[in-house]
Amino acid sequence: MQRVFGIILIVLGVWAGVEVYTKGSAAAFGGLFASGSEQPSEVRRAPQRAADTVRRAYEKSTERIDRQLDE
């Protein structure tokens, strides 16, 4: 009985971890544990955040090159 209970806890833990990893902490479990500052509709997924970061880095580098060329 203890083994069954332990396996069930492990499975639930893995499921909860996957849910938070794939949907983010605000949207996981249907937003049940979301804080008031971030609504589930405003949550961006990891690829979107990565694309935004790359875009900002690219814009900064082009601005830096433009400033150097202007000098």
Side-chain angles (χ1 to χ4, degrees):
M1 185 67 179
Q2 292 174 346
R3 288 182 184 172
V4 172
F5 186 68
I7 291 173
I8 289 173
L9 284 178
I10 291 171
V11 169
L12 287 175
V14 168
W15 172 73
V18 169
E19 185 81 10
V20 170
Y21 180 76
T22 58
K23 296 183 181 177
S25 60
F29 310 109
L32 182 64
F33 301 111
S35 64
S37 63
E38 187 176 20
Q39 298 299 324
S41 61
E42 299 172 358
V43 174
R44 297 179 306 150
R45 294 191 180 268
Q48 293 169 334
R49 291 191 309 263
D52 291 343
T53 302
V54 169
R55 189 176 305 112
R56 281 193 306 268
Y58 178 75
E59 290 171 357
K60 285 181 182 179
S61 70
T62 56
E63 289 172 3
R64 191 178 319 121
I65 291 171
D66 289 341
R67 279 185 286 158
Q68 290 177 351
L69 290 176
D70 289 340
E71 293 178 355

